[in-house]
Amino acid sequence: MVRIANPPAGAVPVESVFVRIPAAAARHGAVNLAQGVFDHGPPAEVLAALAAVGEGAEHQYAPSAGHPLLRAALARRYGPLDPDTEITVCAGATEAYYCAVAALINPGDEAIVVEPAYEQYAPVITKFGGVVRAIRLPGLDSRLDAAALAAVTTPATKMIVVNSPWNPFGRSLDADEWQAVADLANTRGIVVISDETYEHLNLDSGAHRSILDLVPDPELRVKVSSASKTLAVTGWRVGWAVSGPGLTRRIRAAHQFVTFCPPTPLQLAVARVLDSPDFENLIAGTVAGMSRRVGSFVDTLTELGIPAAMPGSGFYVLADVGEDATGWCERMLVDQGVAGLPLSVFYSEPVPEAATVVRFALCKQAGTLAEASRRLRARLNPGAAS
């Protein structure tokens, strides 16, 4: 039996769903649409940047705060920023988030987490003795607002975690949602950790809104991002945290005792890509190709009678399968060889409106998605299967 559901709250910790399900998909020969990992290499420009790395000190430790060339490239892209005091390069966005929480949370402090949420957010807060206050939005049509934030904010609230563009919703926070979050920081002094890992993958051509533009006090916001999803290099583990000098010192104090530094050649390759005059064209090509592939899969789901909407950002598609999503995913993985994730794994408590929804990660080659489509048709519409 394939166990997809998360254990109940308070249960003994088990393997992450992002460990269990890919492993089960491999055992059953399933197409892995459960995990946001690419099944292909990065663009040629990215490989060329890595090949251009030299043969000397480029292969030794970089400064723990990050290689100066990468911090400078990030400062130019996000600026105006001081690369020496406001940017910390970490082993992926996950470590950047971990170190930001370590810098902020003491035992008894409270943190707001807006769900559905990446499973890493809450456990890191509780690891440092914090208390999680969750806001659970049931679906794509629901919106975060000031009233919901006020309901979970207390004098002990130290930080809030948001994700925009949003995994798994496949959309960015809108202007009103961002305003509610920014007001929390600007009027209450609550720090916003904004996970912007998918910032360059706006399929609807909308401009990316960043916390850096919305909260003027740099000590009240942390932007977390990485190269992983932008450049299709999830294995490189090069991410960063952007914050004010005081908060950056605390983030770096944690980071130096976690990973010290990500691989120097990979940092240099990312810096070269970010500084390339062709970077915007590279992103445009990536987004255009992804949009075509995601759109085609959404069309397949629609043909099969599974309501699904084209995401505005990222590569995650939510589909309502019309029955318990956990059981549906288990059957599809074992019997039909297609792995998806029930939306319920992104909530800390059951949300009835999410119980029938499945998330598909579509950062795959066209051929992979075509095979997944063929397998789904064979199960759900056998007469149409080729």
Side-chain angles (χ1 to χ4, degrees), residues 9 97 109-118 121-123 125-126 130-138 144-145 147-154 157 159-162 166 184 344-351:
Y97 168 76
D109 288 339
E110 296 182 2
I112 300 169
V113 174
V114 184
E115 297 179 350
Y118 176 47
Y121 296 159
I125 294 164
T126 57
V131 178
V132 175
R133 301 297 186 195
I135 297 174
R136 300 179 186 91
L137 302 187
L144 179 65
D145 58 29
L149 290 170
V152 295
T153 302
T154 76
T157 304
M159 55 172 264
I160 177 173
V161 186
V162 295
W166 196 338
L184 199 66
S344 60
V345 304
F346 295 92
Y347 294 94
S348 56
E349 293 184 5
V351 173

Side-chain angles (χ1 to χ4, degrees), residues 3-378:
R3 180 169 49 82
I4 291 180
N6 280 331
V12 175
V14 297
E15 283 184 319
S16 160
V17 68
F18 296 104
V19 173
R20 295 198 310 273
I21 302 311
R27 288 197 307 271
H28 290 276
V31 178
N32 180 15
L33 303 185
Q35 184 183 25
V37 60
F38 299 84
D39 66 343
H40 54 80
E45 298 91 331
V46 178
L47 295 175
L50 181 58
V53 173
E55 301 177 355
E58 297 89 341
H59 298 275
Q60 308 311 319
Y61 292 126
S64 182
H67 196 287
L69 291 179
L70 178 52
R71 284 186 279 123
L74 290 166
R76 284 189 287 272
R77 186 148 296 278
Y78 296 146
L81 293 169
D82 184 343
D84 294 327
T85 65
E86 296 184 289
I87 299 172
T88 306
V89 180
C90 299
T94 297
E95 196 226 334
Y97 168 76
Y98 181 98
C99 294
V101 175
L104 287 165
I105 293 294
N106 292 309
D109 288 339
E110 296 182 2
I112 300 169
V113 174
V114 184
E115 297 179 350
Y118 176 47
E119 67 168 2
Q120 182 80 9
Y121 296 159
V124 174
I125 294 164
T126 57
K127 173 184 174 62
F128 291 104
V131 178
V132 175
R133 301 297 186 195
I135 297 174
R136 300 179 186 91
L137 302 187
L140 281 171
D141 294 332
S142 53
R143 290 294 184 268
L144 179 65
D145 58 29
L149 290 170
V152 295
T153 302
T154 76
T157 304
K158 192 70 168 289
M159 55 172 264
I160 177 173
V161 186
V162 295
N163 180 202
S164 184
W166 196 338
N167 168 26
F169 270 171
R171 69 171 180 87
S172 298
L173 295 180
D174 65 25
D176 290 339
E177 290 174 307
W178 266 129
Q179 190 61 56
V181 171
D183 286 347
L184 199 66
N186 296 330
T187 64
R188 299 289 296 269
I190 292 170
V191 179
V192 181
I193 297 183
S194 178
D195 181 351
E196 301 177 20
T197 301
Y198 304 89
E199 62 183 307
H200 295 293
L201 302 181
N202 290 309
L203 306 189
D204 61 4
S205 301
H208 174 65
R209 292 187 182 95
S210 173
I211 194 64
L212 301 182
D213 304 317
L214 297 165
V215 175
D217 186 342
E219 301 297 338
L220 291 178
R221 70 326 187 240
V222 184
K223 175 189 173 94
V224 168
S225 193
S226 77
S228 294
K229 304 303 194 294
T230 299
L231 303 181
V233 288
T234 59
W236 282 23
R237 313 314 300 141
V238 178
W240 42 85
V242 181
S243 57
L247 190 46
T248 292
R249 283 193 295 273
R250 285 145 54 198
I251 289 171
R252 290 178 178 181
H255 165 64
Q256 67 184 339
F257 295 117
V258 178
T259 62
F260 188 78
C261 72
T264 305
L266 304 183
Q267 293 191 52
L268 290 169
V270 172
R272 183 181 291 267
V273 173
L274 291 176
D275 269 343
S276 168
D278 293 326
F279 179 74
E280 300 302 335
N281 289 333
L282 170 64
I283 295 303
T286 296
V287 168
M290 187 172 290
S291 183
R292 287 192 299 271
R293 295 190 298 274
V294 171
S296 177
F297 196 81
V298 168
D299 289 344
T300 294
L301 293 174
T302 301
E303 292 167 8
L304 293 173
I306 301 176
M310 183 73 181
S313 55
F315 44 70
Y316 299 108
V317 165
L318 297 182
D320 192 334
V321 297
E323 60 179 276
D324 176 66
T326 298
W328 189 93
C329 286
E330 291 172 347
R331 291 198 312 278
M332 286 297 159
L333 194 160
V334 175
D335 298 340
Q336 213 56 40
V338 177
L341 275 185
L343 183 59
S344 60
V345 304
F346 295 92
Y347 294 94
S348 56
E349 293 184 5
V351 173
E353 297 90 335
T356 61
V357 179
V358 173
R359 189 202 78 169
F360 295 103
L362 304 182
C363 49
K364 315 293 180 180
Q365 298 178 85
T368 302
L369 296 179
E371 175 59 18
S373 297
R374 185 193 68 77
R375 295 183 183 193
L376 288 174
R377 285 192 182 97

